[in-house]
Amino acid sequence: MRLSDRRSGDKLEEVRLVQVEFQAEIGSLVGKKMTAVWPVWRAALIGIGACLVVVSIEFGLPALPSDARRALEILLVAIIGWTLTPFDDTFVAIVAGLAMALLVNRDPGALFHALGDELIWLLLASFILAAAVKASGIADRILGLVTGRMRSVRAVAYALAAVMVATAFIIPSTSGRAALMIPAYQAVAGRCGNARLRRAFALLFPTAILLSAFASPVGAGAHLLAIEMVDRLSGVKVSYLEWIALGLPFAAVSTFVSVECLLRLFLSPAERRAALLLPTVSNDGVGLARQPILWIAAGVVIAWLTESLHGLNATVIALSGALAASLPGLGAVRFDDAIRSTEWKLLLFLAATICLADGLVASGLHQWLIETTVNPLRVVGLGPLALLSLLALLGLFSHLLIHSRTARVSVLLPPVLMIASTARLDPLLAMLVLVSATGFCQTLMICAKPVALFGGLDDEGYGPRDLALLSAVPIVVFAVGAWPMIQGLLITLGLQVSGGS
């Protein structure tokens, strides 16, 4: 084995171990919490409640076709499993997907075929590309080149945020991006002169990671699921370029507004202006421009952006880049190492929720719910803009109950698309508003993996009060100042509310 191969393998193994330890810590945290609040009587009550839901639908909606009743029962029981039980989100999704395949589609293959969906292959290819980027170390070197030129705490903070926005175009997981940024945080924390600075930077990393994810469709698995659901339930296709044109401005503004709020909330003017000199990253004898993975990743992103010109499928582009990134002598990682680093739980979760979405359509439940919501909405008389505000609030506070970003989208997006279709609201706009709002999820330690990760890296890290303050103030500032500007930009780009002002 060549020395470079050994180094890249060691680098990837180090990142993988960090992710494993991180997931074990989160699992331990969740397990302790659930053990403390999960007595037998509560389990019994939730089980009885789930049974009552099934019985109520079965006998309370006799006019609804049987397949639609089964689909509604499965969907509601799955929501109970995601929100009220300690079961793993992927476990609940697979159980629900299997039930939908057997009881509604009456074909077990419906669940198995979902694993072959284009979305799954796109995400798999993105994970392989991400593994190559991590193993090559180019992310650390780019970060060192950017932050090494900064001379103050404020400048370093904005440089870090900009780099994290850029990583959203390649790394298909917020937890993966968090693991990638651990060395950067440790380098910054080692140069901070006091605990206040370390706490501010510890808060900066998860905040920027979560909010910048919206810049790209591969910034989070929830985004790819949302694209798939909009296509299946509303017939609207979203291209890579469309998402970036509409999502990047929103992500950039929300990220940098939050960074500024964070600096002002947790640091004094003198601390913000204080010098913070970070070490530069050595080239190890190989220039950054001579790293093949840099050009492979750049080529994939450019090909995604120009899909309308060459007509190549986005998944085919991603797979080609992933295979090139793992070629011996060219790529930065061995193929088997890249496959081992893939987040298979996320892929299984997405496959199961795709099966759920197919069941909603095949059973007729989707159309029934649309027709059922038309009259109430007409009576209430809510306009499109009022509905958008309600959708944003729904997505914003959903993380307090549903602690998985992908689960939040899978639960909330189908009814949101149904409401959009009855209120003359563009389904793409409704989806973007909801998905962007679900990204504001740093209120509690358990609501997002990056928040829990960086909160446990330092003994003097942040606590619940810090998270509550950081969540409240930027949200208010963003709602009052930034959101109207983003809305105007969306309208300028041509994404208008159908029938709205």
Side-chain angles (χ1 to χ4, degrees), residues 153 156-157 160 185 188 192 197-205 276:
V153 168
V156 170
L160 287 170
Y185 167 74
V188 172
C192 291
L197 280 176
R198 288 196 297 274
R199 181 174 66 231
F201 278 106
L203 287 165
L204 168 71
F205 278 87
L276 183 62

Side-chain angles (χ1 to χ4, degrees), residues 172-253:
S173 163
T174 53
S175 58
R177 292 165 66 207
L180 183 68
M181 289 297 166
I182 289 175
Y185 167 74
Q186 291 171 335
V188 172
R191 296 299 178 107
C192 291
N194 57 59
R196 285 169 53 85
L197 280 176
R198 288 196 297 274
R199 181 174 66 231
F201 278 106
L203 287 165
L204 168 71
F205 278 87
T207 299
I209 287 169
L210 292 171
L211 298 184
S212 65
F214 192 64
S216 162
V218 297
H223 300 168
L224 296 175
L225 176 62
I227 290 173
E228 187 77 7
M229 282 191 167
V230 167
D231 183 14
R232 290 173 181 266
L233 301 181
S234 299
V236 176
K237 294 186 179 296
V238 186
S239 70
Y240 190 89
L241 181 58
E242 273 184 307
W243 185 292
I244 291 178
L246 301 169
L248 179 56
F250 185 98
V253 171

Side-chain angles (χ1 to χ4, degrees), residues 95-337:
V95 171
L98 182 60
M100 191 73 79
L102 294 176
L103 301 179
V104 176
N105 296 317
R106 294 180 178 83
D107 177 18
L111 177 60
F112 310 144
H113 296 159
L115 276 172
D117 189 89
E118 182 179 319
L119 164 67
I120 305 299
W121 283 93
L122 174 60
L123 200 54
L124 176 61
S126 298
F127 277 123
I128 295 174
L129 275 172
V133 170
K134 292 174 184 176
S136 69
I138 62 170
D140 294 339
R141 292 169 62 180
I142 292 174
L143 193 62
L145 289 173
V146 173
T147 58
R149 300 174 183 271
M150 304 296 108
R151 293 295 180 264
S152 69
V153 168
R154 182 192 294 275
V156 170
Y158 275 99
L160 287 170
V163 171
M164 282 183 270
V165 171
T167 61
F169 291 87
I170 291 295
I171 312 298
S173 163
T174 53
S175 58
R177 292 165 66 207
L180 183 68
M181 289 297 166
I182 289 175
Y185 167 74
Q186 291 171 335
V188 172
R191 296 299 178 107
C192 291
N194 57 59
R196 285 169 53 85
L197 280 176
R198 288 196 297 274
R199 181 174 66 231
F201 278 106
L203 287 165
L204 168 71
F205 278 87
T207 299
I209 287 169
L210 292 171
L211 298 184
S212 65
F214 192 64
S216 162
V218 297
H223 300 168
L224 296 175
L225 176 62
I227 290 173
E228 187 77 7
M229 282 191 167
V230 167
D231 183 14
R232 290 173 181 266
L233 301 181
S234 299
V236 176
K237 294 186 179 296
V238 186
S239 70
Y240 190 89
L241 181 58
E242 273 184 307
W243 185 292
I244 291 178
L246 301 169
L248 179 56
F250 185 98
V253 171
S254 61
T255 299
F256 291 118
V257 165
S258 296
V259 168
E260 183 62 29
C261 291
L262 187 154
L263 293 173
R264 291 180 176 273
L265 285 172
F266 294 95
L267 298 177
S268 66
E271 288 172 325
R272 296 195 292 270
R273 293 191 300 268
L276 183 62
L277 303 180
L278 299 179
T280 57
V281 179
S282 64
N283 286 334
D284 292 334
V286 180
L288 189 61
R290 296 175 61 187
Q291 292 277 0
I293 183 59
L294 179 65
W295 299 106
I296 292 172
V300 168
V301 173
I302 293 172
W304 278 338
L305 293 175
T306 57
E307 183 180 350
S308 60
L309 298 178
H310 52 67
L312 289 177
N313 183 278
T315 303
V316 172
I317 295 169
L319 281 170
S320 301
L323 293 173
S326 56
L327 274 177
L330 177 65
V333 65
R334 294 188 305 172
F335 185 77
D336 54 347
D337 290 333

